[in-house]
Amino acid sequence: DGPPPWWHSAVFYQVYPRSFADSNGDGIGDLPGITARLDYLAGLGVDCLWLSPIFDSPGDDGGYDIRDYRAVAAEFGTLDDLDALIAACHERGMRIILDLVVNHTSAEHPWFRAACEDPDGPYGDYYFLRDDPGPAGNPAPDSAPPNNWTSFFGGSAWRPLPEARRWALHLFAPTQMDLNWDTPAVRAEVADIVRWWRGRGIDGFRLDVINYISKRRGLPDGNPAIGKLIGFTGIEHYFFGPRLHAYLSELRRNGFTRGDSDSPPSSTVRERRADGSLGDRLPQDRVGVMVGETPGVGVEMGRLLTAHEPRALDLTFNFDVLDEPGRVRWDDYRYDLAYLKDFYLDYLGRLGAGERIALFLDNHDNPRMLSKVLGEDAANPALRAAAAKALAAIQLLLPGVPFLFQGQEIGAINQDFRGISELHDLESLNRYEELRAAGASADEAFAQVLPGARDHARVPMRWAPGPGHDHSSGDAAPWQPAAERSAGFTVAEQDGDPESVLEFHRALIRLRREEPALTSEEVEFLRPHSREYFAWIRRDPVTGTEITVEVNLTAGDRAARGSGHVRRHTYSRCGRWRARRRDGAIRGHGVAARVGGTGFA
Ligand code: ISL
Ligand code: CA
């Protein structure tokens, strides 16, 4: 069926636009800022950018509350700036996807305004509006919401709309109104938005909480026992809803797949060869990539969405890797990398032929994985660099499609926030208020918010040492200070230093490009039960080339007494690793390949 799609072998890179690079000195990262840093990303070897939302939005949830799906937020620039960024990506052989938030719209979206004005009119069916049983247009103080579902950001998932005499559903903030996908016009609008952006050259989308779009008809009460277990009530009625697969495959057909005849390619993308050089201009791909953000679906449901016809998504994010079983994001604990190993052994072992998973450790919703792994040891620069490399080797050399989040490539850790006034994210602030209302002191409440705060990952990118880290042009201060604990963890300091975390990422991404073994599906795990040692062999089925990757999961020296493929050798510090190639023609092990000077010596 033709060559594999480009994203099979791609490295994605998530940009949080507000915090990447500010071109006009207002302290807020923007689109021209990203364009100005594209050579950095191309030099890192990134194949595709994913931008967190850049659409017009009141910004109640960092842009995950969209007011106009066809306009760029003024703080980020203009549509022309975005066109220029798309063209600049394609010119460098990179692709670019946007973040489409269509489980809900902002309450300021014209559809929702129209729905409030005339709940019985056509836009009333775009949302979940329910009659308000209270008298005189205002919910009586004791009038109960239509069901017991709770919001991910605290409280009931329903808000009263006094003027419209209705309740409206919001699984997230009270200004993020859930769209009713059972209404055909809603699905048609979304497909239209996707086609419009495809026509502008966008190569696909990351689809926000896309597994929540199909709610069980009638919106029955959630099971309180499940609510207690998971922390959110009602989830079993929408996290893998009855029409989910149907709606996604329909969206694929109507939005992501270009008919060959009626819509010629709108854009061309330069081919990027294995050695990094640029080749011919290729027409835009016929099918845009569909990456699903799918909290809670687990391995088997994720596979149902990606591997079964009619096809729904291309890739899903499985969040179970981010916390040890029994732990949640708010817990303050040291993450044991042995769990990460178990997770991937299990996950990869369950995949069928042709299935690929997204490999990610950081994003804009989570504290930095490096901080979870190291705890207070993150203050030790040597250990921090070593652990960052260990994580990089895992994320970039296991089978799958890596999604790096900005800053991972320089070993970014959590921000050392001092008090609640330094946090901006509504989820952190709401949680803080809830804890205070329940009787916690200010210090206690802050301590219970800090470990899981989404703000950690959202601080400005550290391009260079100095107070503003070169995030903003001129002397402008970034919208949020990004203090750095240790010298050496900026792009400028690491650039060109063969021992640096940055050059390690560059080297591994280059290796992925040069060695088909690393983008094949084949993997054999060595010593699967070891809790200290994570090693595997990748194979190129065509040439027989093998690459062995060995990662020490601990902070101490380790002797790996191998049998079979692994010979005895000593690791010093976490993150030492080696890739040993074995050509199919040669028996036994070849010479250890040193990559970027950081390999096993
Ligand atoms: O924070 C969570 C719940 O406490 C996560 O489940 C998170 O909300 C979930 O992964 C969905 O995230 C996405 O949708 C949200 C938005 O705030 C996040 O930034 C986005 O990644 C609502 O649009
Ligand atoms: Ca700016």
Side-chain angles (χ1 to χ4, degrees), residues 119-409:
D120 299 317
Y123 288 99
D125 289 336
Y126 272 43
Y127 297 90
F128 293 97
L129 303 183
R130 288 291 178 273
D131 284 346
D132 159 29
N138 283 311
D142 56 354
S143 119
N147 69 23
N148 65 355
W149 295 8
T150 54
S151 152
F152 290 102
F153 294 152
S156 166
W158 294 91
R159 72 178 251 204
L161 302 171
E163 263 100 89
R165 306 194 56 184
R166 296 289 194 286
W167 292 91
L169 178 71
H170 62 90
L171 293 181
F172 292 91
T175 53
Q176 291 171 295
M177 315 318 305
D178 278 66
L179 281 167
N180 184 351
W181 279 62
D182 294 329
T183 300
V186 166
R187 306 200 301 273
E189 298 263 20
V190 174
D192 210 47
I193 291 165
V194 170
R195 275 198 307 272
W196 192 82
W197 283 107
R198 290 277 294 143
R200 286 196 102 86
I202 286 297
D203 299 291
F205 286 93
R206 175 263 194 192
L207 299 159
D208 188 66
V209 286
I210 201 63
N211 57 313
Y212 292 3
I213 57 174
S214 169
K215 278 94 174 162
R216 195 180 308 283
R217 295 226 166 100
L219 312 182
D221 270 340
N223 179 335
I226 296 177
K228 208 158 170 243
L229 192 73
I230 314 242
F232 307 104
T233 304
I235 198 156
E236 69 273 24
H237 295 306
Y238 60 76
F239 88 107
F240 199 96
R243 310 273 304 153
L244 178 61
H245 202 111
Y247 292 162
L248 287 177
S249 47
E250 179 190 276
L251 178 61
R252 181 176 200 88
R253 217 168 41 242
N254 296 343
F256 283 82
T257 308
R258 298 185 69 93
D260 305 86
S261 50
D262 57 335
S263 44
S266 58
S267 189
T268 56
V269 185
R270 265 191 196 278
E271 178 196 356
R272 197 155 52 170
R273 303 195 191 96
D275 64 2
S277 67
L278 295 170
D280 295 339
R281 287 170 193 279
L282 308 172
Q284 192 185 31
D285 309 276
R286 208 176 62 78
V287 185
V289 66
M290 287 176 86
V291 183
E293 195 228 10
T294 48
V297 299
V299 171
E300 295 306 330
M301 287 183 179
R303 294 184 60 213
L304 281 176
L305 290 173
T306 52
H308 290 258
E309 297 296 336
R311 197 167 179 133
L313 300 167
D314 290 314
L315 289 165
T316 59
F317 289 109
N318 186 320
F319 291 92
D320 296 341
V321 69
L322 294 182
D323 285 293
E324 292 178 20
R327 298 288 191 173
V328 295
R329 166 155 61 94
W330 305 104
D331 293 342
D332 196 4
Y333 73 102
R334 288 281 281 263
Y335 181 105
D336 185 350
L337 285 174
Y339 167 67
L340 186 133
K341 171 180 169 177
D342 285 347
F343 174 85
Y344 282 124
L345 250 59
D346 174 61
Y347 197 174
L348 290 165
R350 293 209 242 163
L351 299 184
E355 295 179 44
R356 280 203 167 42
I357 63 172
L359 297 162
F360 77 103
L361 300 171
D362 283 11
N363 67 18
H364 65 293
D365 288 337
N366 285 279
R368 295 282 184 178
M369 181 57 91
L370 197 48
S371 289
K372 279 200 212 184
V373 169
L374 290 178
E376 277 316 299
D377 288 341
N380 172 336
L383 211 48
R384 175 172 166 188
K389 290 177 191 175
L391 291 178
I394 293 169
Q395 196 183 350
L396 292 167
L397 303 179
L398 278 179
V401 182
F403 282 73
L404 293 170
F405 178 67
Q406 65 182 49
Q408 265 187 283
E409 76 275 24

